[in-house]
PDB file of all heavy atoms in Angstrom:
ATOM      1  N   SER A 214       6.889   2.736 -10.180  1.00 95.00           N
ATOM      2  CA  SER A 214       8.326   2.540 -10.448  1.00 95.00           C
ATOM      3  C   SER A 214       8.832   3.459 -11.559  1.00 95.00           C
ATOM      4  O   SER A 214      10.047   3.617 -11.745  1.00 95.00           O
ATOM      5  CB  SER A 214       8.670   1.072 -10.736  1.00 95.00           C
ATOM      6  OG  SER A 214       7.908   0.674 -11.841  1.00 95.00           O
ATOM      7  N   ARG A 215       7.929   4.063 -12.304  1.00 94.00           N
ATOM      8  CA  ARG A 215       8.374   4.980 -13.383  1.00 94.00           C
ATOM      9  C   ARG A 215       8.760   6.327 -12.932  1.00 94.00           C
ATOM     10  O   ARG A 215       9.449   7.085 -13.649  1.00 94.00           O
ATOM     11  CB  ARG A 215       7.242   5.119 -14.410  1.00 94.00           C
ATOM     12  CG  ARG A 215       6.886   3.863 -15.142  1.00 94.00           C
ATOM     13  CD  ARG A 215       5.650   4.018 -15.957  1.00 94.00           C
ATOM     14  NE  ARG A 215       4.482   4.270 -15.098  1.00 94.00           N
ATOM     15  CZ  ARG A 215       3.271   4.503 -15.559  1.00 94.00           C
ATOM     16  NH1 ARG A 215       3.062   4.526 -16.830  1.00 94.00           N
ATOM     17  NH2 ARG A 215       2.291   4.698 -14.693  1.00 94.00           N
ATOM     18  N   HIS A 216       8.352   6.683 -11.704  1.00 89.00           N
ATOM     19  CA  HIS A 216       8.594   8.079 -11.285  1.00 89.00           C
ATOM     20  C   HIS A 216       9.767   8.236 -10.294  1.00 89.00           C
ATOM     21  O   HIS A 216      10.020   7.284  -9.538  1.00 89.00           O
ATOM     22  CB  HIS A 216       7.337   8.633 -10.603  1.00 89.00           C
ATOM     23  CG  HIS A 216       6.166   8.616 -11.553  1.00 89.00           C
ATOM     24  ND1 HIS A 216       4.849   8.557 -11.110  1.00 89.00           N
ATOM     25  CD2 HIS A 216       6.108   8.631 -12.911  1.00 89.00           C
ATOM     26  CE1 HIS A 216       4.059   8.557 -12.152  1.00 89.00           C
ATOM     27  NE2 HIS A 216       4.764   8.617 -13.266  1.00 89.00           N
ATOM     28  N   GLU A 217      10.372   9.349 -10.319  1.00 82.00           N
ATOM     29  CA  GLU A 217      11.416   9.696  -9.348  1.00 82.00           C
ATOM     30  C   GLU A 217      10.733   9.908  -7.967  1.00 82.00           C
ATOM     31  O   GLU A 217       9.535  10.143  -7.918  1.00 82.00           O
ATOM     32  CB  GLU A 217      12.172  10.928  -9.777  1.00 82.00           C
ATOM     33  CG  GLU A 217      12.897  10.651 -11.037  1.00 82.00           C
ATOM     34  CD  GLU A 217      13.864  11.791 -11.359  1.00 82.00           C
ATOM     35  OE1 GLU A 217      13.701  12.847 -10.790  1.00 82.00           O
ATOM     36  OE2 GLU A 217      14.717  11.595 -12.266  1.00 82.00           O
ATOM     37  N   PRO A 218      11.497   9.820  -6.902  1.00 80.00           N
ATOM     38  CA  PRO A 218      10.897  10.046  -5.583  1.00 80.00           C
ATOM     39  C   PRO A 218      10.085  11.341  -5.535  1.00 80.00           C
ATOM     40  O   PRO A 218      10.600  12.384  -5.927  1.00 80.00           O
ATOM     41  CB  PRO A 218      12.103  10.140  -4.626  1.00 80.00           C
ATOM     42  CG  PRO A 218      13.132   9.330  -5.312  1.00 80.00           C
ATOM     43  CD  PRO A 218      12.939   9.477  -6.806  1.00 80.00           C
ATOM     44  N   GLN A 219       8.858  11.242  -5.105  1.00 83.00           N
ATOM     45  CA  GLN A 219       8.006  12.421  -5.009  1.00 83.00           C
ATOM     46  C   GLN A 219       7.866  12.840  -3.574  1.00 83.00           C
ATOM     47  O   GLN A 219       7.775  12.006  -2.683  1.00 83.00           O
ATOM     48  CB  GLN A 219       6.589  12.075  -5.550  1.00 83.00           C
ATOM     49  CG  GLN A 219       6.613  11.256  -6.843  1.00 83.00           C
ATOM     50  CD  GLN A 219       6.016  12.018  -7.970  1.00 83.00           C
ATOM     51  OE1 GLN A 219       5.039  12.739  -7.844  1.00 83.00           O
ATOM     52  NE2 GLN A 219       6.582  11.812  -9.159  1.00 83.00           N
ATOM     53  N   THR A 220       7.800  14.173  -3.390  1.00 83.00           N
ATOM     54  CA  THR A 220       7.753  14.705  -1.994  1.00 83.00           C
ATOM     55  C   THR A 220       6.619  14.044  -1.145  1.00 83.00           C
ATOM     56  O   THR A 220       6.881  13.651  -0.042  1.00 83.00           O
ATOM     57  CB  THR A 220       7.476  16.232  -2.092  1.00 83.00           C
ATOM     58  OG1 THR A 220       8.391  16.748  -3.013  1.00 83.00           O
ATOM     59  CG2 THR A 220       7.681  16.853  -0.736  1.00 83.00           C
ATOM     60  N   ILE A 221       5.463  13.887  -1.737  1.00 83.00           N
ATOM     61  CA  ILE A 221       4.346  13.373  -0.963  1.00 83.00           C
ATOM     62  C   ILE A 221       4.670  11.996  -0.443  1.00 83.00           C
ATOM     63  O   ILE A 221       4.317  11.606   0.708  1.00 83.00           O
ATOM     64  CB  ILE A 221       3.023  13.408  -1.763  1.00 83.00           C
ATOM     65  CG1 ILE A 221       1.846  13.114  -0.842  1.00 83.00           C
ATOM     66  CG2 ILE A 221       3.044  12.504  -2.994  1.00 83.00           C
ATOM     67  CD1 ILE A 221       0.500  13.458  -1.445  1.00 83.00           C
ATOM     68  N   ASP A 222       5.345  11.143  -1.265  1.00 87.00           N
ATOM     69  CA  ASP A 222       5.680   9.771  -0.815  1.00 87.00           C
ATOM     70  C   ASP A 222       6.732   9.793   0.262  1.00 87.00           C
ATOM     71  O   ASP A 222       6.669   9.074   1.255  1.00 87.00           O
ATOM     72  CB  ASP A 222       6.138   8.940  -2.011  1.00 87.00           C
ATOM     73  CG  ASP A 222       5.026   8.692  -3.033  1.00 87.00           C
ATOM     74  OD1 ASP A 222       3.887   8.492  -2.641  1.00 87.00           O
ATOM     75  OD2 ASP A 222       5.372   8.770  -4.256  1.00 87.00           O
ATOM     76  N   LEU A 223       7.741  10.647   0.066  1.00 87.00           N
ATOM     77  CA  LEU A 223       8.795  10.736   1.056  1.00 87.00           C
ATOM     78  C   LEU A 223       8.248  11.279   2.389  1.00 87.00           C
ATOM     79  O   LEU A 223       8.610  10.782   3.435  1.00 87.00           O
ATOM     80  CB  LEU A 223       9.947  11.666   0.517  1.00 87.00           C
ATOM     81  CG  LEU A 223      10.758  11.026  -0.614  1.00 87.00           C
ATOM     82  CD1 LEU A 223      11.615  12.074  -1.314  1.00 87.00           C
ATOM     83  CD2 LEU A 223      11.637   9.890  -0.097  1.00 87.00           C
ATOM     84  N   GLU A 224       7.408  12.270   2.263  1.00 85.00           N
ATOM     85  CA  GLU A 224       6.791  12.829   3.534  1.00 85.00           C
ATOM     86  C   GLU A 224       5.978  11.781   4.218  1.00 85.00           C
ATOM     87  O   GLU A 224       5.977  11.675   5.452  1.00 85.00           O
ATOM     88  CB  GLU A 224       5.940  14.043   3.212  1.00 85.00           C
ATOM     89  CG  GLU A 224       6.763  15.293   3.004  1.00 85.00           C
ATOM     90  CD  GLU A 224       5.915  16.509   2.598  1.00 85.00           C
ATOM     91  OE1 GLU A 224       4.665  16.385   2.539  1.00 85.00           O
ATOM     92  OE2 GLU A 224       6.502  17.571   2.390  1.00 85.00           O
ATOM     93  N   PHE A 225       5.295  10.998   3.431  1.00 87.00           N
ATOM     94  CA  PHE A 225       4.413   9.967   3.988  1.00 87.00           C
ATOM     95  C   PHE A 225       5.244   8.880   4.742  1.00 87.00           C
ATOM     96  O   PHE A 225       4.962   8.489   5.837  1.00 87.00           O
ATOM     97  CB  PHE A 225       3.517   9.349   2.927  1.00 87.00           C
ATOM     98  CG  PHE A 225       2.531   8.386   3.480  1.00 87.00           C
ATOM     99  CD1 PHE A 225       1.446   8.810   4.234  1.00 87.00           C
ATOM    100  CD2 PHE A 225       2.672   7.056   3.214  1.00 87.00           C
ATOM    101  CE1 PHE A 225       0.543   7.926   4.752  1.00 87.00           C
ATOM    102  CE2 PHE A 225       1.751   6.126   3.731  1.00 87.00           C
ATOM    103  CZ  PHE A 225       0.683   6.533   4.505  1.00 87.00           C
ATOM    104  N   THR A 226       6.310   8.433   4.064  1.00 89.00           N
ATOM    105  CA  THR A 226       7.118   7.371   4.721  1.00 89.00           C
ATOM    106  C   THR A 226       7.898   7.930   5.936  1.00 89.00           C
ATOM    107  O   THR A 226       8.032   7.204   6.906  1.00 89.00           O
ATOM    108  CB  THR A 226       8.126   6.716   3.698  1.00 89.00           C
ATOM    109  OG1 THR A 226       8.837   7.754   2.981  1.00 89.00           O
ATOM    110  CG2 THR A 226       7.410   5.806   2.745  1.00 89.00           C
ATOM    111  N   THR A 227       8.245   9.188   5.868  1.00 88.00           N
ATOM    112  CA  THR A 227       8.853   9.848   7.067  1.00 88.00           C
ATOM    113  C   THR A 227       7.894   9.779   8.236  1.00 88.00           C
ATOM    114  O   THR A 227       8.241   9.398   9.362  1.00 88.00           O
ATOM    115  CB  THR A 227       9.191  11.302   6.785  1.00 88.00           C
ATOM    116  OG1 THR A 227      10.123  11.346   5.701  1.00 88.00           O
ATOM    117  CG2 THR A 227       9.800  11.987   8.002  1.00 88.00           C
TER     118      THR A 227
END
Side-chain angles (χ1 to χ4, degrees):
S214 57
R215 293 171 296 179
H216 301 153
E217 294 189 345
Q219 315 245 323
T220 311
I221 189 165
D222 295 320
L223 289 166
E224 281 177 1
F225 185 70
T226 49
T227 299

